[in-house]
Amino acid sequence: MKKQKGFIQIIALTLATITFAIVFPIYLIVSTLFGFAEPCRLKGYYKCDNYSEGSFDDEHTDFYKYYYKEDNDSKFANSKYYKKIDENDIDLLEPYLVNFEHALKNSNRLEGYDLNETMIDTTDYYTMWRDDEQNFDFENGDYVIYYYDTNTHVLYNLDVKR
């Protein structure tokens, strides 16, 4: 009976290992091809500050700061995920940054948050996703902004789910 139990455990462990060895690489390939992976946090940062308030699936207002060295600026300039900011982008981004800061202030979570609309300039890079781009509603809409500040070499990740 002991031999049979040990054999079953070995079989179960072997099947779990094989499943993981097959499923995980497939997940990585599919998530990268279809955009499930997070491509915007470019490799090369040397430090990350996490200001998360809870589960990723629940409502949240989270931000992260990724610190890069100056020689990484070219990664953002050459990335297919980032756009160099122009004057129209400044007008687009300002209300989001004001809204985000206001949400943090209302929940007493401003510690560590130093990004504001006055920092936006045309030497920086960003990418963003938002619900219903034409009729976006700050009260109910989800959005994610990655903003790379070339003056400080910090990538800000603002993530709002309502």
Side-chain angles (χ1 to χ4, degrees), residues 79-98:
S79 172
K80 67 180 180 179
Y81 300 108
Y82 281 88
K83 178 182 189 274
K84 189 165 188 171
I85 291 181
D86 62 27
E87 291 299 324
N88 292 330
D89 298 321
I90 292 173
D91 293 338
L92 169 72
L93 289 169
E94 279 182 349
Y96 287 90
L97 298 186
V98 168

Side-chain angles (χ1 to χ4, degrees), residues 70-82:
E70 184 175 355
D71 59 351
N72 284 296
D73 289 359
S74 62
K75 289 183 179 185
F76 291 89
N78 297 324
S79 172
K80 67 180 180 179
Y81 300 108
Y82 281 88

Side-chain angles (χ1 to χ4, degrees), residues 35-87:
F36 306 135
E38 186 178 345
C40 296
R41 185 183 59 224
L42 300 180
K43 291 180 180 178
Y45 63 92
Y46 63 90
K47 177 182 167 188
C48 173
D49 292 336
N50 177 343
Y51 299 93
S52 176
E53 69 177 349
S55 169
F56 185 74
D57 294 331
D58 297 332
E59 287 187 12
H60 59 263
T61 303
D62 295 343
F63 71 99
Y64 306 84
K65 292 166 58 175
Y66 299 93
Y67 299 85
Y68 292 82
K69 296 192 185 309
E70 184 175 355
D71 59 351
N72 284 296
D73 289 359
S74 62
K75 289 183 179 185
F76 291 89
N78 297 324
S79 172
K80 67 180 180 179
Y81 300 108
Y82 281 88
K83 178 182 189 274
K84 189 165 188 171
I85 291 181
D86 62 27
E87 291 299 324

Side-chain angles (χ1 to χ4, degrees), residues 70 73 76 121 123-125 147-154:
E70 184 175 355
D73 289 359
F76 291 89
D121 66 47
T123 63
D124 298 335
Y125 299 88
Y147 182 87
Y148 183 70
D149 180 30
T150 56
N151 294 318
T152 61
H153 314 291
V154 173

